[in-house]
């Protein structure tokens, strides 16, 4: 007979709650009360005679199905034990236990009644206290009776005659077929339970296929096991084994051989077993231990291994049943099968809504007590915090009157609460987190960092059960106390080495952050004494201009004598040479810094090279010496590479090639990453007038692991954006948008150690390593964005975004000058003004798309660092995207392709035709 544990309640609206009953369902005994039936049903069972009254007024709950325990119920040995969750006493027992209980059942503690061993008793206690419906793991009952009895079942929370009860439904479980436990398992034998998991059901693969698979695996085990070992029949997806005459270490090695053999077979399986794996739980029967308990322990070890233990073969541990309990109690995830106490939910909701400010702790505490005293059965409350010397300091006190809740000092509290406060000791509080005496309930407030304080509550009326805050509410209050500037901060040793403590932001970092850039600074100091052109080489954002400032300062130059000539800002070669020639011929003792001179027109580069090499100007038809100035040039790459790319005139390169200063990128200066991050955070938070303490440990780990392709410029942009997003005191990885190097277990991602020969080979190939150009990187990133967009059926107008980003980047390149941006883009300046409303309109969408952020960064770097081209940048980028769309968008219709390009269908068809003709 199949037994269910469908348990329902019937309660009338009357004060008489004796009409509230729970029954276990039997498919052979049931009666359905329909809405049109008004009667009193007499339900007879061997445990007594009860009456259920059905009320037609609609005030009583609906009875879906009511069944009785029939005469066969006791023969099966199944029973329903109803336990008071508060007193732990048995309120009722329906059915028959498999062993005799001479002293009776009702009114006794469930531990004594059921005779569950200590290790399993702790598991059942967790189920009862939790108040959640969940399946019990196999437990042994009847300790001290004639033999062990193995039972399973479930618990369910329920109100029973006004009491918080737990329904414990127990049913007998069968042991493996053919195993006579006390004969086949003797002291010293090793019990092994072999299990297969990671099976996947489908319409074509299910229980029959599992039975076939397990029998085939059993045949494989028979080939490995010795004659004296016992091999059972498959039980579901498990096979019991008894290894005889082996030491535990030897048995472990045998099980490794068994597992290896089975995995070789499973590797060739498909369908539902294609991902299957084997795990084995082990337990040795000890002297004085029953064979059934050894079998249960091995089964628990198997379930623990299958639940994610690092060991796929493991010996039993006393903690295995508790692990089973934890998984069972959380098996339904967010949908808890429990009686929800709405009072606690509303109270916790009120606490989470309170603003927590370290500077206004007293206000927070007063509002906590106000929310607490609004609950039923409480007359007064006081909130204490532990000080530096473990003294308890009163933060707030309140008394509930007939009309209001009044805050005050401890002296105004009722005498019983005053006595409790004065008698309270921090050491006693730590050892007894919850005590009740003379109507005063004392609750410890603690976090993982240690004791934070206490909440004392005075009961209003003994006839009313007072409200007691739950663990979540107490934890929330304790965390708020721990986050204040008040005393009681624990030391690192007290917190424990497993916790990462946030590090306060370094402040007052002056000058340049000290790291291995010191070599570049030392070289700059030396070259400040030499009157010759100097090249400073480094990626964007590495601090090349700072090195130039060091040279200028060390040579004794005045701040205003440093002249920056940004070659990206010149609209044409005439404007560029007019400005450069003017600066070459005027002033004395100045430092002229040419930023990105490789972007100048080749003719302008050639003229500049001749004049710097000879120090003679001949523009006006005559010849005269240039003014006595010094010259520096900032380059993004090695001079030879720029010459090889055809963007830098060879003669200009030779002018600056004498003593180049190499500024290493930020990724090669790991010691500087966090100091730069703290320095920038201090600067930006000061500008934004924000109070920020620093970075969380995870945020620092993400900062260290990020590649920082844009170096310090990129870091400043990331931190500025994080400050705009953050609303807390600490900057997190979520604020930064950086998650590299963070693992789910909270540990820093360890770098993989490479073999020596691999490292040596990489060092040899370092010089020949190919680095893609920005345009090539942009093409790859656009391809990834397009592929992700197509995979998710989210067709963003990437072509329009591409245009908008290039326009904004061109304006940034030219310092916001529309004429300069138009010159770079090869269009008329009035077009810039005409395009800008559309550009601003799409800005929010572009910023919100995570797929677009890397493309956005590369576009801006490409525009900022590229020299003027014959083909307009917008056209070049559009051709890139169009080619990618033709490769990847074969399944899209013409209208969808036009949508991706951000144009109308006729315009898209025209562009495709033009592109194909050019090819």
């Amino acid at each position: 007979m199949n037994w269910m544990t469908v348990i329902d309640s019937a309660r009338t609206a009357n004060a008489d709650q004796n009409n509230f009953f729970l029954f276990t369902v039997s498919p052979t005994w049931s009666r359905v009360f329909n809405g049109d039936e008004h009667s009193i049903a007499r339900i007879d069972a061997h445990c007594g005679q009860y009456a259920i009254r059905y009320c037609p007024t609609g005030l009583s709950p609906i009875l879906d199905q009511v069944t009785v325990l029939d005469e066969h119920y006791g023969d099966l040995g199944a029973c329903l034990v109803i336990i008071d969750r508060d007193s732990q006493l048995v309120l009722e027992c329906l059915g028959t236990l498999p062993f005799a209980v001479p002293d009776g059942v009702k009114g006794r503690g469930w531990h004594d009644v059921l005779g569950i061993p200590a290790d399993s008793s702790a598991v059942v206690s967790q189920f009862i206290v939790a108040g959640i419906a969940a399946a019990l793991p196999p437990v042994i009952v009847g300790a001290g009776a004639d033999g062990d009895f193995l039972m399973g079942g479930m618990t369910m929370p329920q109100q029973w005659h006004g009491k918080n009860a737990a329904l414990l439904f127990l049913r007998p479980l069968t042991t493996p077929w053919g195993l006579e436990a006390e004969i086949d398992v003797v002291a010293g034998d090793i019990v092994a339970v072999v299990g297969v998991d990671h099976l996947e059901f489908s319409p074509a693969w299910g229980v029959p296929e599992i039975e076939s698979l397990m029998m085939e695996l059993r045949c494989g085990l028979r080939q490995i096991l010795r004659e004296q070992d016992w091999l059972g029949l498959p039980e579901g997806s498990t096979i019991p084994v008894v290894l005889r005459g082996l030491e535990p270490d030897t048995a472990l090695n045998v099980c490794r051989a068994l597992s290896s053999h089975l995995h070789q077979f499973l590797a060739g399986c498909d369908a539902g077993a294609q991902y299957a794996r084997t795990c084995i739980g082990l337990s040795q029967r000890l002297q004085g231990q029953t064979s059934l308990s050894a079998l249960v322990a091995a089964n628990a070890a198997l379930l623990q291994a299958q639940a994610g233990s690092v060991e796929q073969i493991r010996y039993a541990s006393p903690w295995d049943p508790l692990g089973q309990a934890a998984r069972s109690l959380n098996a339904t995830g967010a949908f808890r099968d429990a009686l929800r106490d709405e009072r606690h939910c509303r109270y916790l909701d009120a606490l989470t809504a309170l603003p927590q400010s370290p500077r206004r702790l007293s206000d927070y505490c007063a509002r906590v007590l106000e929310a607490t005293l609004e609950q039923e059965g409480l007359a007064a409350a006081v909130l204490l915090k532990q000080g530096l010397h473990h003294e308890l300091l009163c933060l707030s006190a309140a008394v509930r009157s007939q009309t209001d809740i009044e805050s005050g000092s401890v002296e105004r509290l009722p005498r019983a609460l005053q006595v409790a406060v004065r008698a309270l000791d921090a050491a006693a509080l730590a050892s007894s987190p919850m005590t009740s005496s003379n109507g005063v309930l004392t609750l410890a407030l603690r976090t993982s960092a240690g004791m934070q304080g206490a909440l004392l509550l005075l009961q209003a009326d003994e006839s009313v059960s007072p409200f007691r805050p739950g663990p979540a509410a107490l934890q929330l209050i304790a965390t708020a106390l721990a986050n204040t500037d008040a005393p009681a901060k624990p030391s690192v040793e007290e917190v424990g080495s497993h916790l990462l403590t946030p590090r306060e932001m370094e402040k007052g970092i002056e000058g340049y952050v000290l790291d291995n850039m010191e070599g570049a600074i030392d070289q700059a100091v030396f070259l400040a004494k030499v009157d010759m052109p100097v090249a400073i080489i480094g990626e964007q954002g590495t601090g090349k201009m700072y090195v130039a400032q060091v040279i200028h300062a060390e040579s004794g130059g005045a701040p205003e004598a440093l002249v920056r000539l940004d070659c990206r800002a010149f609209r044409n070669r005439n404007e560029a040479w007019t400005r450069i020639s003017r600066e070459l011929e005027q002033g004395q003792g100045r430092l002229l810094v040419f930023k990105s001179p490789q972007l100048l027109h080749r003719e302008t580069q050639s003229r500049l090279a001749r004049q710097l090499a000879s120090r003679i100007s001949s523009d006006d038809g005559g010849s005269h010496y240039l003014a006595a100035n010094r010259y520096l040039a900032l380059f993004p790459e090695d001079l030879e590479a720029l010459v090889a790319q055809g963007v830098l005139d060879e003669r200009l390169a030779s002018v600056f090639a004498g003593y180049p200063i190499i500024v290493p990128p930020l990724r090669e200066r790991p010691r500087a990453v966090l100091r730069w991050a703290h320095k920038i955070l201090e600067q930006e938070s000061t500008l934004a007038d924000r109070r920020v303490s620093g970075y969380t440990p995870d945020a620092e780990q993400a900062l260290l692991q990020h590649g920082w392709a844009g170096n310090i410029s990129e870091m400043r942009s990331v931190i500025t954006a994080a400050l705009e997003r953050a609303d807390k005191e600490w900057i997190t990885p979520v604020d930064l948008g950086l998650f590299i190097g963070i693992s789910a277990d909270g540990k820093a991602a360890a770098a993989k150690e490479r073999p020596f020969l691999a490292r040596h080979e990489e060092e040899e190939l370092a010089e020949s390593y190919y680095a893609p150009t920005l345009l090539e990187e942009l093409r790859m990133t656009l391809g990834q964005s397009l592929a992700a967009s197509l995979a998710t059926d989210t067709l963003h107008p990437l072509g329009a975004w591409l245009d908008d980003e290039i326009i904004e980047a061109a304006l940034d390149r030219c310092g916001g000058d529309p004429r300069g941006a138009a010159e770079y883009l090869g269009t008329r300046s009035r077009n810039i003004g005409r395009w800008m409303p559309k550009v601003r309109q799409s800005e929010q969408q572009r910023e919100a798309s995570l797929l677009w952020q890397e493309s956005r960064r590369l576009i801006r770097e490409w525009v900022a660092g590229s020299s003027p081209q014959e083909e307009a940048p917008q056209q070049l980028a559009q051709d890139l995207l169009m080619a990618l769309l033709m490769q990847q968008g074969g399944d899209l219709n013409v209208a969808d392709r036009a949508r991706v390009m951000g144009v109308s269908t006729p315009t898209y068809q025209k562009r495709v035709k033009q592109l194909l003709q050019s090819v």
Side-chain angles (χ1 to χ4, degrees), residues 162-357:
K163 296 181 181 294
N164 290 322
L167 309 181
L168 184 62
F169 177 73
L170 299 173
R171 66 187 187 280
L173 297 178
T174 60
T175 55
W177 178 264
L179 177 67
E180 297 184 28
E182 294 302 325
I183 298 175
D184 292 328
V185 183
V186 300
D189 285 351
I190 305 292
V191 180
V193 181
V194 181
V196 178
D197 64 348
H198 292 181
L199 299 169
E200 297 182 348
F201 278 22
S202 69
W205 208 93
V207 174
E209 286 73 23
I210 289 181
E211 292 182 2
S212 301
L213 173 68
M214 296 309 297
M215 184 52 71
E216 196 166 3
L217 292 179
R218 183 185 184 276
C219 295
L221 290 177
R222 185 74 275 174
Q223 300 173 9
I224 305 295
L225 293 173
R226 303 166 303 163
E227 288 296 329
Q228 63 265 39
D229 297 329
W230 182 86
L231 177 62
L233 294 176
E235 300 283 348
S237 60
T238 65
I239 301 175
V241 178
V242 178
L243 302 175
R244 298 189 173 106
L246 297 179
E247 293 296 323
D249 290 344
T250 306
L252 189 62
N253 290 331
V254 170
C255 288
R256 289 194 181 101
L258 293 176
S259 180
S260 175
H261 182 74
L262 296 180
H263 273 117
Q264 292 177 31
F265 171 80
L266 291 173
C269 294
D270 55 8
Q274 59 181 332
Y275 302 115
R277 66 163 186 174
T278 60
C279 294
I280 303 178
L282 299 171
S283 176
Q284 184 179 29
R285 181 182 177 184
L286 305 175
Q287 290 291 343
Q289 182 186 20
T290 65
S291 57
L292 187 57
S293 65
L295 181 60
V296 170
N299 187 70
L302 168 68
L303 296 179
Q304 189 69 12
Q306 290 180 333
S309 171
V310 176
E311 305 168 288
Q312 292 186 16
I313 305 173
R314 66 190 310 275
Y315 271 97
S317 162
W319 309 111
D320 291 343
L322 292 174
Q324 287 179 261
R327 290 190 296 276
S328 182
L329 290 174
N330 293 282
T332 56
F335 308 100
R336 291 163 58 86
D337 191 356
L339 287 179
R340 174 171 290 170
D341 190 331
E342 294 188 1
R343 294 182 308 163
H344 284 86
C345 293
R346 285 193 295 267
Y347 177 65
L348 189 59
D349 198 34
L351 291 185
T352 55
L354 296 180
Q356 298 181 18
S357 173

Side-chain angles (χ1 to χ4, degrees), residues 20 82-83 185 193 368 452 499 647-648 680 720 762 796:
F20 171 48
I82 304 171
I83 302 169
V185 183
V193 181
V368 167
Q452 301 299 329
L499 292 176
V647 297
L648 179 62
I680 294 172
T720 302
E762 286 184 10
H796 294 297

Side-chain angles (χ1 to χ4, degrees), residues 537-814:
I537 302 170
E539 297 177 6
Q540 179 186 5
T542 51
K544 298 187 293 295
M545 185 57 74
Y546 177 78
V547 177
Q549 292 171 347
V550 170
I551 293 176
H552 184 58
E554 290 295 324
S555 64
E560 64 275 8
L562 190 147
V563 180
R564 296 176 174 86
L565 297 172
D566 191 346
C567 300
R568 302 173 303 173
F570 299 134
R571 292 174 291 177
N572 51 60
R573 56 183 173 179
N574 291 331
E575 178 186 329
W577 185 248
T578 300
R579 170 72 190 283
I580 291 173
S581 61
R582 183 173 67 247
E583 297 295 345
L584 289 175
E585 296 181 13
Q586 69 182 10
Q588 297 287 333
R590 299 186 308 158
L591 177 65
L592 304 186
V593 180
F594 297 90
K595 187 173 184 179
S596 302
Q598 80 279 358
L599 300 181
L600 295 170
H601 192 276
R602 293 301 293 266
E603 180 183 338
T604 306
Q605 291 186 40
S606 178
R607 296 173 69 179
L608 177 62
R610 287 197 302 270
Q611 294 202 13
L612 293 183
S614 62
R615 301 293 178 101
I616 295 175
S617 173
S618 56
D619 287 341
D620 55 2
S623 298
H624 58 273
Y625 285 103
L626 299 178
N629 294 317
R630 297 166 59 87
Y631 311 104
L632 296 180
L634 312 183
F635 294 99
E637 296 182 58
D638 182 78
L639 299 182
E640 292 182 1
L642 293 174
V643 171
Q645 295 171 22
V647 297
L648 179 62
D649 184 85
E650 187 173 358
R651 288 168 293 182
L652 184 61
S654 65
V655 169
F656 290 101
Y659 290 95
I661 299 176
I662 308 299
V663 182
L666 193 58
R667 61 180 174 273
E668 296 178 8
R669 296 144 52 192
R671 288 187 300 165
V673 170
L674 291 184
R675 296 204 70 202
W676 264 114
H678 283 277
K679 179 176 181 178
I680 294 172
L681 182 60
E682 181 186 11
Q683 294 171 345
E684 297 299 329
S685 61
T686 301
L687 288 174
D689 193 23
R690 284 279 307 278
R691 183 180 184 274
V692 180
S693 295
Y695 301 97
T696 64
D698 279 345
E700 290 194 344
Q701 185 64 32
L703 288 166
L704 286 170
Q705 295 292 331
H706 187 63
W708 298 118
N711 296 288
I712 297 168
S713 299
E714 181 189 358
M715 179 181 285
R716 186 175 296 278
S717 174
V718 167
I719 293 173
T720 302
L723 272 173
E724 294 175 356
R725 286 190 289 262
D727 57 357
K728 300 291 190 303
E729 195 172 338
W730 296 91
I731 301 296
T732 69
V734 177
D735 300 326
L736 294 169
L738 304 177
F739 304 98
I740 299 176
I742 301 174
S743 60
D745 58 7
K747 300 177 181 178
K752 294 182 179 180
E753 182 65 25
R754 294 168 297 164
F756 168 76
L757 289 179
R759 296 198 306 270
H760 182 67
E761 184 178 355
E762 286 184 10
E763 291 171 1
E764 288 183 343
L765 296 176
E767 293 185 2
S768 60
Y769 174 74
Y770 169 73
T773 64
L774 279 173
L775 196 58
E776 290 171 332
E777 285 189 65
L778 178 59
R779 183 184 184 280
M780 290 187 289
T781 305
L782 285 175
Q784 293 169 358
S785 300
L786 178 60
S789 181
L790 296 177
T792 57
D793 292 329
T794 307
L795 301 181
H796 294 297
L798 300 182
W801 288 3
L802 195 57
D803 270 349
D804 295 344
E805 291 292 352
I806 292 175
I807 294 168
E808 284 190 338
L811 284 169
D812 290 344
R813 169 191 171 107
C814 301

